[in-house]
Amino acid sequence: MARAIIKKVSDSDEHRPFVAHGSADVLKLGELTIGRGVFEPGWQWSKDVKPLAGTEFCEVIHTTCILSGQLHVKMRDGQEFDLGPGDVAFIPPGHDAWVVGKEPCRAVDFTGAEDYARVEAPKEKEEAEPSVLQ
């Protein structure tokens, strides 16, 4: 029989600070990984997470619920929208986002937390084949 899993966000499995302006907490509940993001005023993905992710746009799929604050999202294709308290959204890969206003934005992410704001491991240089002199 499956057992209930109960955790507090304050006791997250992993805490991932952004470059500035907030952090993400990751909780693993069996096979489900969820995240809670706190995006402080001034936070923008392209400034605060892009250096960690190493990609031009956020390439994580988000299924999120905004708990407080306002977030503006701009997709790679130019689509733009605002999210606020009570909004639930599916956001495909290829976007930037930023906090609107002076209130922190708090959100729960049900699909993107496993890889979000994870520091990109440095890519190892392939060892060059020794050259053969003839």
Side-chain angles (χ1 to χ4, degrees):
M1 180 191 298
R3 302 212 19 114
I5 301 171
I6 302 166
K7 293 185 175 184
K8 293 192 179 299
V9 174
S10 59
D11 295 327
S12 63
D13 295 301
E14 192 176 349
H15 179 76
R16 298 179 189 159
F18 304 142
V19 171
H21 305 107
S23 61
D25 289 294
V26 178
L27 294 99
K28 297 182 182 194
L29 303 168
E31 293 183 24
L32 178 65
T33 301
I34 63 169
R36 193 266 318 248
V38 177
F39 310 96
E40 297 169 358
W43 177 88
Q44 183 170 0
W45 184 90
S46 55
K47 295 176 184 173
D48 295 304
V49 182
K50 178 179 178 175
L52 305 172
T55 57
E56 187 63 27
F57 292 93
C58 180
E59 298 298 340
V60 172
I61 297 170
H62 300 284
T63 307
T64 189
C65 178
I66 306 298
L67 305 175
S68 63
Q70 300 284 326
L71 199 62
H72 184 84
V73 180
K74 182 174 182 177
M75 303 300 300
R76 182 179 7 236
D77 68 5
Q79 178 189 15
E80 295 188 50
F81 51 91
D82 291 310
L83 299 171
D87 287 339
V88 177
F90 171 80
I91 306 171
H95 56 272
D96 192 5
W98 54 90
V99 170
V100 176
K102 296 180 181 180
E103 180 184 356
C105 179
R106 290 179 170 78
V108 175
D109 195 351
F110 298 97
T111 57
E114 193 162 328
D115 295 321
Y116 188 74
R118 175 175 283 163
V119 176
E120 179 71 20
K123 294 184 171 113
E124 295 182 29
K125 292 181 181 179
E126 292 182 28
E127 289 188 19
E129 297 265 331
S131 59
V132 178
L133 297 175
Q134 296 184 10

